[in-house]
Amino acid sequence: MNKGLAQLALAVIIGILIVPAPAFSAGAVDKKPNIKILATGGGIAGSLQGNSNTKFTAANLTIDALLDKIPELKKIANISGEQIVNIPSQAMTNEVWLRLAQRINKLLKSSNVDGIVITHGTDTIEETAYFLNLVIKSKKPVILTGATRPYNHLSPDGPSNLFDAVALASSPEAIAKGVMVVMNGKILGARGVTKVNTYGTDGLQARDTGLFGYLYGGKPYFFQASIRRHTYRSEFDTEKLNRIPRVDIIYGHADSTEDAVNAAVATGAKGIILAGVGNGNTHPRTLQALIRARKKGVQVVRSTRTGNGLVTRGAEVDDDKYQFIVADNLSPQKARILLLMAMTESDKTSRIQKIFQDY
Ligand code: ASP
């Protein structure tokens, strides 16, 4: 080969290597993915009150008004917004979750939708993410994001978080990894993500299980994903479900009584999550109340308030004898969600315990 030809061949090879990867729905390089943005409210749709820098109202901007403020989104994807609800996420309910899940499952069946982004308040974003992780029947990306600073803050975090979420939902690398949450340039799996700071922009983390990866310049850099069952490999189905059973969380502390457990049972809880001290322990008085609750048919799951570590079967509490379930390393708020879905499948303690090891 002469020198000129060799240089040409090299230039062609380099050209092939630096052409960007196409959007996953597209045969042609310039075809953008179709991303649906479902809005639920939260701080990302909130605004500061008057001249105050500290008081804000969540959920007072519609999704269309929010999208108008971030024209960059249209450069990376064909986006359309849909308002599901407009609430602060502390007002989230099981009923809204069911509606959201049924809508997402319907949308993802369409070949015109490549991925979903959900805007959400950060207070309970981890719960909605985990619920959807259990009930969405698709490999397509479902990404939640929020903001701790309202849009008219001096330095709002919503626009960049939303941009990152749309970029991730558009990425082929996000397929089949389960529901994820994006915030402050971090990718977090639905099972591990939790809010660890009351208002900081880096307030979402994944203690025990760690980050899935980072987003930088609109590109994901993954280093892990969850091996637990989720989305397309999950057995849970919301299609025929109109009501979810009530499950309450009882917080453990020194000198706790039996009153909270008794009140939960008397007012209709079908399951109780103990956010126990240490390895899911509790004061003997509270334990006796839980044993009585279980005898009445209420499912009891022992979890921990510590934020890290497994709750282990039979360590200081005889779970086999009392027919209790242990929460693995799920936080109390995630254990609540798994128990309420598990109870739609079975009332056998051994079966529910297996579910806690699988999801
Ligand atoms: N309370 C707000 C919410 O969760 C806070 C936020 O979004 O950061 O809706």
Side-chain angles (χ1 to χ4, degrees):
M1 204 189 290
N2 71 29
K3 202 170 159 212
L5 256 182
Q7 276 170 345
L8 184 67
L10 191 65
V12 169
I13 290 166
I14 291 171
I16 288 168
L17 288 177
I18 62 173
V19 167
F24 61 85
S25 71
V29 170
D30 61 346
K31 179 144 181 334
K32 288 183 280 188
N34 299 323
I35 305 298
K36 191 88 185 171
I37 304 183
L38 304 181
T40 68
I44 192 165
S47 61
L48 289 171
Q49 276 176 25
N51 293 331
S52 155
N53 230 344
T54 50
K55 284 198 180 115
F56 87 100
T57 313
N60 61 2
L61 207 65
T62 63
I63 185 61
D64 291 336
L66 189 65
L67 295 182
D68 280 349
K69 293 184 185 301
I70 320 171
E72 290 78 7
L73 294 176
K74 296 201 175 87
K75 294 184 188 154
I76 55 170
N78 299 317
I79 51 163
S80 58
E82 185 176 316
Q83 196 80 47
I84 301 290
V85 282
N86 208 359
I87 54 173
S89 77
Q90 56 269 38
M92 188 49 72
T93 62
N94 296 351
E95 184 272 319
V96 176
W97 282 348
L98 276 181
R99 233 187 316 146
L100 191 59
Q102 284 161 0
R103 183 70 186 130
I104 295 171
N105 277 327
K106 189 159 178 224
L107 285 166
L108 290 181
K109 280 193 190 130
S110 161
S111 57
N112 292 328
V113 178
D114 295 312
I116 302 276
V117 167
I118 301 153
T119 57
H120 200 290
T122 62
D123 288 359
T124 61
I125 195 168
E126 64 200 81
E127 297 182 43
T128 302
Y130 189 55
F131 176 74
L132 296 176
N133 200 46
L134 298 177
V135 301
I136 295 305
K137 304 270 165 220
S138 174
K139 290 184 178 177
K140 291 181 186 174
V142 175
I143 313 296
L144 288 93
T145 195
T148 51
R149 293 173 172 176
Y151 75 89
N152 57 348
H153 189 277
L154 207 55
S155 166
D157 53 336
S160 57
N161 287 340
L162 190 52
F163 181 87
D164 281 349
V166 171
L168 185 60
S170 305
S171 167
E173 289 179 59
I175 293 174
K177 290 198 170 65
V179 173
M180 288 174 275
V181 177
V182 163
M183 194 140 173
N184 204 30
K186 291 176 176 165
I187 306 169
L188 299 131
R191 189 178 183 282
V193 62
T194 191
K195 184 164 176 167
V196 298
N197 188 293
T198 50
Y199 60 86
T201 52
D202 200 24
L204 296 184
Q205 290 176 22
R207 291 177 166 136
D208 260 357
T209 51
L211 286 182
F212 275 18
Y214 287 109
L215 267 152
Y216 188 75
K219 191 182 162 3
Y221 294 82
F222 278 101
F223 17 86
Q224 64 162 337
S226 179
I227 56 164
R228 295 303 184 98
R229 285 176 73 175
H230 58 70
T231 55
Y232 67 102
R233 288 179 51 228
S234 168
E235 75 215 77
F236 303 119
D237 199 350
T238 56
E239 278 314 294
K240 291 155 264 140
L241 210 67
N242 329 307
R243 264 197 92 243
I244 295 178
R246 184 177 132 195
V247 174
D248 287 1
I249 299 175
I250 307 282
Y251 202 84
H253 56 89
D255 203 30
S256 63
T257 67
E258 63 262 291
D259 294 349
V261 174
N262 292 345
V265 176
T267 52
K270 300 287 179 265
I272 292 176
I273 309 295
L274 171 70
V277 297
N279 193 352
N281 292 316
T282 188
H283 189 284
R285 255 191 320 247
T286 315
L287 183 65
Q288 288 307 317
L290 289 170
I291 293 167
R292 284 195 300 273
R294 184 68 196 98
K295 282 188 181 147
K296 286 186 184 155
V298 175
Q299 295 289 356
V300 174
V301 177
R302 294 194 303 113
S303 70
T304 175
R305 68 176 196 180
T306 62
N308 288 295
L310 297 170
V311 173
T312 53
R313 265 196 93 74
E316 291 180 70
V317 176
D318 195 339
D319 295 300
D320 290 344
K321 180 168 163 201
Y322 304 135
Q323 291 288 289
F324 289 167
I325 295 152
V326 292
D328 195 330
N329 74 338
L330 280 181
S331 64
Q333 59 272 31
K334 301 266 174 87
R336 186 184 85 88
I337 294 163
L338 188 54
L339 180 60
L340 43 90
M341 288 318 296
M343 284 166 65
T344 67
E345 290 282 302
S346 174
D347 55 9
K348 279 187 72 190
T349 311
S350 56
R351 171 88 183 90
I352 298 178
Q353 183 63 76
K354 174 82 171 58
I355 286 173
F356 271 79
Q357 273 138 20
D358 289 349
Y359 286 85

